[in-house]
Amino acid sequence: MTLSGKRQDLLSTLRSRTGLWVSGEELSGGLGISRAAISKHIAAIKELGYAITSAPGKGYLLTEAPDLLLPEEIVFGLATDTIGKVGIVHHHLTDSTNTQARDLARQGAPEGTLVVAEAQSAGRGRKGRSWLAGSGEGLLFSLILRPDMEPSRAALITLMTAVSVAEALIRETGVNARIKWPNDILVGRKKLAGILTEMSMELDAVDYVIVGLGLNINTPPDAFHDEIREIATSVLAEASAPFSRVALLRAILSRFEAHYNTLATQGPESILTRWKALSDIVGRRVRVSMMREDVEGRVIDIDPDGVLLVENDAGESLRILSGDVTY
Ligand code: BTN
């Protein structure tokens, strides 16, 4: 259920005065609706999980918001123009937010539409892998984009997302998040987040891009699935403190929109500079596992399309579009 119109305004008023009584008279005057309508809207808001006390002569008191990624929580204080502002779809459980976002994009959903889930039954990672995450512990979301760019440049969206996520994590939580090409966010050798970018083309233009993020936030270290316990980490594990998922989501979306606009108006230079500063891959000796072969060599650079440039031992320069890098 998503609140709309007056109901959202009512929640925003109570939300901005959390812990304080707000009289029914003030609410009904401010919103231009009857006291009976206020009480009906309050009942609907409580159904979402908000704790609201009411008392005759005092009015209404919001004491607690639910720890859910509800649209009404996300938009509260979200400093973006489009990203997450044109529509948010929230699922308690879905197969995969990327799949849901793709379906919406096919039906014409606009750029900036956000699909979030508390849990996924078929979360997808790169190369047919799955993404495993406990319910309500982190962020699982996908964004619909309709960039005006050549398909060969779509890798930049992944790099740009990685920069946005790493910056938001460092700023909001202090964890030492680093980027591993092309789409992993690591702390030390452990993975904190992964990005899955999927694109649909029409002729030679991008129709839509779905960018999906899985980020482990409040997962206790021993709660990770057996398969990933040794290689996964969470903000809680790294910072020894839980963090607000919704606040982190807002911070990521706001960094994302800033970089996305820069990419569209000024090109990739500043994104690539930030990416290189946040990744420690340039200059390193790496092994890249690709579909048909493995390559070893030294990373020379990232090119303006986001392609990894590796010099092998024979001195040849190789352009790596996709693969798994180890170093
Ligand atoms: C990877 O590291 O291989 C990418 C993982 C991406 C996982 C996220 S979770 C939200 C979104 N929905 C999906 O099914 N996948 C992405």
Side-chain angles (χ1 to χ4, degrees):
M1 180 167 62
T2 303
L3 303 182
S4 56
K6 298 283 180 194
R7 209 164 274 183
Q8 177 68 51
D9 295 345
L10 172 58
L11 178 57
S12 294
T13 308
L14 292 175
R15 190 78 177 62
S16 65
R17 313 257 290 271
T18 302
L20 300 170
W21 287 97
V22 187
S23 74
E25 194 182 350
E26 180 188 336
L27 290 171
S28 105
L31 295 169
I33 53 177
S34 69
R35 301 279 287 265
I38 295 280
S39 117
K40 207 179 86 201
H41 290 319
I42 292 282
I45 293 170
K46 282 167 87 170
E47 255 180 56
L48 290 174
Y50 289 86
I52 299 172
T53 311
S54 50
K58 286 181 159 178
Y60 299 95
L61 172 73
L62 173 72
T63 49
E64 220 180 304
D67 182 22
L68 293 172
L69 299 166
L70 298 174
E72 23 293 298
E73 284 296 302
I74 297 169
V75 294
F76 191 79
L78 176 63
T80 59
D81 290 328
T82 331
I83 302 297
K85 280 282 168 72
V86 293
I88 301 177
V89 179
H90 172 262
H91 296 276
H92 287 281
L93 172 66
T94 189
D95 49 359
S96 147
T97 56
N98 264 45
T99 305
Q100 294 298 318
R102 184 195 61 201
D103 292 349
L104 290 173
R106 284 182 180 157
Q107 291 158 31
E111 166 156 286
T113 303
L114 173 69
V115 180
V116 279
E118 306 297 334
Q120 294 178 133
S121 56
R124 295 188 280 113
R126 279 170 70 231
K127 306 197 163 189
R129 295 178 192 132
S130 44
W131 181 261
L132 301 167
S135 180
E137 291 175 349
L139 290 179
L140 304 167
F141 75 80
S142 303
L143 274 172
I144 298 176
L145 304 172
R146 298 188 181 275
D148 183 11
M149 62 162 48
E150 285 171 25
S152 62
R153 300 214 121 184
L156 288 169
I157 305 256
T158 305
L159 301 190
M160 197 211 83
T161 307
V163 168
S164 311
V165 175
E167 285 179 346
L169 279 165
I170 293 167
R171 193 180 296 183
E172 299 291 315
T173 72
V175 299
N176 190 19
R178 286 290 172 269
I179 305 171
K180 182 172 165 230
W181 187 86
N183 70 335
D184 289 350
I185 305 291
L186 307 184
V187 178
R189 296 196 156 266
K190 292 191 166 184
K191 184 155 163 173
L192 189 57
I195 298 158
L196 178 65
T197 309
E198 298 176 301
M199 174 174 61
S200 164
M201 296 187 312
E202 258 174 26
L203 298 173
D204 231 3
V206 173
D207 179 15
Y208 61 80
V209 172
I210 306 300
V211 48
L213 177 79
L215 166 62
N216 305 320
I217 301 179
N218 294 326
T219 317
D222 56 1
F224 281 110
H225 201 277
D226 290 347
E227 269 175 58
I228 54 171
R229 188 164 301 148
E230 298 303 315
I231 52 167
T233 190
S234 64
V235 176
L236 173 64
E238 298 300 327
S240 305
F243 274 85
S244 157
R245 295 183 303 144
V246 85
L248 263 173
L249 173 57
R250 285 192 211 111
I252 291 170
L253 296 181
S254 138
R255 294 308 304 142
F256 183 94
E257 185 172 276
H259 287 311
Y260 189 59
N261 289 342
T262 306
L263 185 62
T265 54
Q266 293 167 31
E269 284 72 25
S270 70
I271 302 293
L272 291 171
T273 305
R274 286 300 292 145
W275 191 92
K276 284 179 212 170
L278 287 163
S279 100
D280 50 3
I281 201 170
V282 177
R284 271 188 191 266
R285 194 168 169 78
V286 294
R287 167 186 280 267
V288 190
S289 309
M290 295 182 295
M291 290 261 257
R292 285 195 202 86
E293 52 169 345
D294 282 9
V295 166
E296 273 189 43
R298 201 168 63 86
V299 176
I300 306 298
D301 207 352
I302 295 279
D303 87 354
D305 288 341
V307 173
L308 194 67
L309 304 178
V310 174
E311 186 181 84
N312 69 10
D313 295 341
E316 295 159 340
S317 180
L318 309 171
R319 298 183 83 244
I320 315 280
L321 287 161
S322 109
D324 280 330
V325 177
T326 42
Y327 51 90

